[in-house]
Every structure is written in structure tokens, then in C-alpha cells.
Amino acid sequence: MKNTEGSIKHEIELPQSDPEEDGEGVQKVALVLGGGGARGFAHLGVVKVLQELGLKPDMIVGTSMGSVIGSAAAGEVEVEGLIKVLERLDINQILQISRESRRELEKVLGRTLAQGIGVSNWGSEESNETPVKLARFFTFFKLLTKNSDIAELPVIYAAVATDLLSGSEVILTEGKVYRAAAASSAIPGFIPPVKWEDFLLVDGGVVDTVPVLPAVQLGADAVIAVDVSTNLPEHGSNSPLAIFNRTSKIRKEELLKAKNAIARVQLPGMLKVLSPQVDDLNWLDFNQIKKAASRGERCIRKDLDEVKSIFNSVKN
């Protein structure tokens, strides 16, 4: 493991935390928000209910869109108001995602996966200029996060990203919130990688779609996790790309199951995974905010007794 100015980089390993280092008797509940593109707006509904009930997590750890919504939640932004603001914005237009470009992006990402594009050219670029697409990304996130530093947030916050150079998971715990959120959600093949210290960072969902283990590593004693990935669909096309994408999804699901199994050992009886029904939502349609948020709200209300129980058990 390597610590670099607020960045924790690790390979696959069992997370370890020492309760004594956090203070005797101090226990922490973490809210973990997973990646899933626009489906991640379901996190808004989950956070809204927690805010309404006064259930405040001690830390928030997010991947991809989970890191974006997580940054707002860690800043204690009133979610009902945030939803109204976001609904007034054409986020697809801000990020330049038209229906046509969405289809093209899906093709590009498919080609990227199939061809296994290398990163040597990215890592060797010396230009200090920020690519236009990334600059727009930064500007949007600056508005959402008020250009805050992670250290200024009232709730402990961490964003999970993937280092293209080493292939490792990187946990960002310091620096500008907007850069951490942008790095964590930089879609490979669409949003340029974000340079951070010695790392070249892209979407954290590449290595950790629901970052429960990083939350444990950071000292969580209990975790409420939100998984906005979709179920494996019925097998359809036998085209090479369709088969490749399906096997990639299977691999990610199995990796997530393995990581959650480790987490359940670390958190006996203190891990609750919420899975909003988002299968019918397009992961690149960022204008379905209210619809996605309602799915998250419906999901957490269904399991509210268990969620409350975890908060009460840890806090008491």
C-alpha cells in the first residue's frame, strides 16, 4: 500500500482498520455509493430519505456517479433542492451527450474494450492544457461542489478511481472535491483521464463498482451501500462485441460478489446493500433525474427498518 498526499493506492488485499486509532468507542457508519452512469441519480433518492430522517453517515465513499452524488451529500447539500436545480439543467447538453453521440459513445466504448487500448500515449503527454471535454467536466463539477476542498466537507468523503498506469484502485481523500469526483467518473474512451500526482485516473467503476472495502479500510464499522448496476439480461445477440460485453459484465459481477463476501466478514451483520430497480434507465441519459431518484427513494423505504437498525446499532 502507498500513501501519497491523501491518495491511498492498493492492490487486492484484505482491508485493515484499527478501532483504537479512531478513538475508543468511536464507531462509524459509511454510506457507499456505487457507479452506474446516469442510473446513479438513484443515489439522490437514498440520500434524500436519510436526510429527512436525520440519519447522518460518518463518511461517504463513492465511485463514478456515486462519487459525484456523494460529494453533494458530504457537503450536506439539501437533496430536494438539488434535484430541482438539476432538473432545470440539460446535463446531456452540458456534457455534449446527444442521442447520436450516445450511440456512438457506446460503440466507442465497445471498441475500446475489445481492442484493449494502451495508455502509454496518455501517460507521456507533456501538455499542461486541459482537454476541452475534461474542462467542461471540471466546470460542471465545480458548480456542484462550490469548488470546495475535501477537507472542508462536514462529512468525511472519499472518491474511488482507477490508475491507468498501474491498474490499481486509488482512494482520493484530499484535494479539490471537483477533481476527485471528475477523476472517479472519467468514463474511459469519452472523458480524458485526470492527472493526479503520479497517477493517471479514470472511472473507479473499472475496478470497484461499489467500494465497500475502501470504506472499511478508511475505518467504517457499518456500511449502507447502494448498487445501481443492472441485472444480467437474458442472452441475446451472439455477435463478438455483444459476447465480449456480456462476459465483461459477468466478470464485474463476480468480482463484486467476492469483494462483498470479504466485506461481510469484516462487517458481520453490519453491511446492507440496497439495489434500486434501474434496469430500464439508460446509463448515458442524464436527463432522467427525477425518475432515477424516485427509484432510489422507493428502494430505501422498502428496507428502512434494516437501515435504521444498522445506524442505531453502531451509534449506541
Side-chain angles (χ1 to χ4, degrees):
M1 184 181 299
K2 170 186 173 185
N3 288 294
T4 311
E5 299 179 7
S7 302
I8 303 173
K9 176 179 175 182
H10 61 87
E11 309 294 341
I12 297 177
E13 59 184 54
L14 286 175
Q16 297 180 0
S17 60
D18 187 349
E20 293 184 1
E21 291 182 1
D22 296 325
E24 187 175 352
V26 176
Q27 294 181 303
K28 295 178 181 176
V29 179
L31 176 63
V32 171
L33 304 178
R39 298 183 184 113
F41 282 128
H43 296 317
L44 289 168
V46 172
V47 175
K48 175 187 172 185
V49 173
L50 293 178
Q51 288 183 344
E52 288 176 354
L53 298 175
L55 298 175
K56 180 180 176 180
D58 300 287
M59 73 171 69
I60 297 176
V61 181
T63 281
S64 196
M65 180 58 83
S67 71
V68 178
I69 304 303
S71 68
E76 298 186 337
V77 173
E78 195 269 316
V79 170
E80 186 66 45
L82 178 60
I83 292 174
K84 292 178 180 177
V85 170
L86 291 174
E87 280 191 296
R88 295 191 189 104
L89 301 175
D90 187 344
I91 300 177
N92 283 345
Q93 177 60 34
I94 292 172
L95 299 180
Q96 295 184 325
I97 304 176
S98 65
R99 186 171 298 178
E100 292 73 23
S101 65
R102 193 169 70 201
R103 285 196 293 266
E104 180 59 26
L105 172 57
E106 290 171 340
K107 293 178 183 177
V108 168
L109 292 180
R111 288 197 296 267
T112 300
L113 289 172
Q115 294 170 359
I117 291 178
V119 301
S120 57
N121 289 336
W122 294 332
S124 62
E125 290 179 356
E126 297 298 333
S127 173
N128 291 321
E129 295 183 6
T130 301
V132 173
K133 178 73 75 171
L134 187 56
R136 292 173 69 90
F137 215 42
F138 281 168
T139 299
F140 180 59
F141 287 150
K142 278 183 182 179
L143 292 173
L144 288 182
T145 63
K146 301 178 181 178
N147 202 23
S148 303
D149 286 323
I150 292 176
E152 297 172 346
L153 297 174
V155 178
I156 296 170
Y157 169 77
V160 175
T162 303
D163 181 23
L164 278 176
L165 303 178
S166 67
S168 297
E169 183 174 72
V170 178
I171 307 170
L172 305 173
T173 58
E174 290 183 4
K176 288 293 185 181
V177 179
Y178 81 86
R179 284 187 64 86
S184 178
S185 53
I187 304 171
F190 180 58
I191 301 297
V194 176
K195 291 185 179 180
W196 188 297
E197 300 165 2
D198 296 330
F199 308 132
L200 194 60
L201 303 178
V202 295
D203 199 308
V206 173
V207 292
D208 207 339
T209 54
V210 187
V212 175
L213 289 182
V216 176
Q217 183 178 340
L218 292 171
D221 302 285
V223 171
I224 305 296
V226 187
D227 180 2
V228 292
S229 60
T230 57
N231 296 315
L232 188 69
E234 292 185 6
H235 182 52
S237 171
N238 283 325
S239 70
L241 183 56
I243 292 174
F244 184 88
N245 287 336
R246 185 176 181 84
T247 55
S248 178
K249 181 170 178 56
I250 291 171
R251 182 171 63 249
K252 282 190 174 184
E253 287 184 356
E254 290 303 307
L255 179 59
L256 179 59
K257 288 178 184 177
K259 288 187 174 184
N260 281 348
I262 295 172
R264 292 186 191 283
V265 173
Q266 299 284 320
L267 303 167
M270 288 292 159
L271 170 60
K272 173 62 181 176
V273 179
L274 302 172
S275 299
Q277 296 301 310
V278 293
D279 290 63
D280 62 321
L281 302 180
N282 189 297
W283 70 285
L284 284 173
D285 189 351
F286 291 91
N287 289 338
Q288 294 291 316
I289 297 165
K290 195 168 186 177
K291 187 175 183 179
S294 68
R295 304 292 177 83
E297 182 173 353
R298 187 184 311 162
C299 178
I300 189 173
R301 289 195 186 281
K302 181 169 61 71
D303 290 323
L304 204 50
D305 287 343
E306 192 171 349
V307 170
K308 288 180 178 179
S309 176
I310 287 179
F311 270 91
N312 293 335
S313 297
V314 172
K315 295 297 184 182
N316 293 332

